Amino acid sequence: MAETRPEPTGTAGPNRLMRVLDRVVGGVEWLHRNSRRDAGPARAVDHDLPLVISEIRAEADGVRSLRLSRPGGGPLPAWQPGAHLDVLLPSGRTRQYSLCGPPGERRHYRIAVRRLAEGAGGSREIHDELCEGDRIVARGPRNAFPFVRGRSYLFVAGGIGITPILPMVRAARTRGADWRLVYTGRSRASMPFLGEIGDLPAERVWIRPDTEFGVPAAGGELLAHAPPGAAVYACGPVPMITSLRLDLPGSTARGLHWERFSAPPIIDGRAFSVELARSGRTVEVPADRTALDAIGEVMPEVAYSCRQGFCGTCHVPLLSGQVRRRGRARGDDVALCVDRGRGPIAVDL
Ligand code: FES
């Protein structure tokens, strides 16, 4: 997802770094957003899609894949590389997972989930409670990470970030593009789909587990594999994406498109309060937390999914006050997961 811009004040070291970073890659960020606009925005698909879990496979330590089919068989809605499903779990939680099967596959969808012991519970529910034959409901597919047609690509995946990247690699291969894949992770045992990746042309793939190199890869090290003029598509943890952004101007690549699988950091946050109009309660949001987190403490049922400002699940109408926008909420809506009040705000919640 497009990373948020830092707010304009603050002197702490990391904040200064992010401001420098923002200046260094400002043009790249524009290219990223412009490319996305060319490909069209993600569109919500609001109808429920009942699915049955037809197969569960262990793909790596703590990672399982789910094959999802229509309960009665039949084709599923079409999708493009980069697309994801909103999965509505039996507990009521909603989580988003990239489609990682072959592009164009309509009989089954495949998603992969890493179990996060300290997470909010969605991945534990999938790992610990769901079995083959169980039914779930999904919405989508929709695409917030569109894959734009080009001649050359560098794909960079970190761990479970391989999921949106795999269909892109296959599509690039089918189109006859010049491509390279760099796949990083803590160890080979933790990296899903290494078997499938082993079937790709070895001269185009670099597997780089931290355990075999001692340290995580720097952005420049990853970008050194880019064909000249390549578009870079990356999905992985925040430090990997940040390092790529920082080192991109010194590389031969021409643009960076990225998706993270964690919430963006809060840069130079300021405290504010949110009045929840329906209950009359007021919640104080500290400088280092999101409104969604603060509201979640008094209202655990508050809905969310991506925590990055793009899926729309946490958007609520803004009744008063002004917000510093970080997500894709439009009009009078506010994205509780990323937007921040410029002062006290009130929302219809
Ligand atoms: S949780 Fe997705 S936009 Fe806030």
Side-chain angles (χ1 to χ4, degrees), residues 272 274 283 285 289-296 335-337 339-340 345:
F272 61 101
V274 184
V283 175
V285 182
R289 302 193 71 200
T290 66
L292 179 66
D293 288 338
I295 292 170
L336 296 175
C337 63
D339 291 347
R340 303 190 69 81
I345 62 172

Side-chain angles (χ1 to χ4, degrees), residues 14 18 39 45 48 54 61 66 78 85 91 109 121 141 147 197 250 252 256 265 284 291 294 317 328:
M18 289 308 294
V45 180
D48 288 352
S54 48
D61 288 351
L66 278 62
L85 286 181
S91 63
Y109 292 147
F147 182 48
I197 290 168
T252 60
L256 172 64
E284 299 299 328
R328 294 185 181 180

Side-chain angles (χ1 to χ4, degrees), residues 154 219-220 222-224 226 228-230 232 244 246-255:
L154 173 67
L222 303 171
L223 291 164
V232 182
L244 286 169
L246 195 58
D247 290 348
L248 189 77
S251 79
T252 60
R254 72 172 164 80

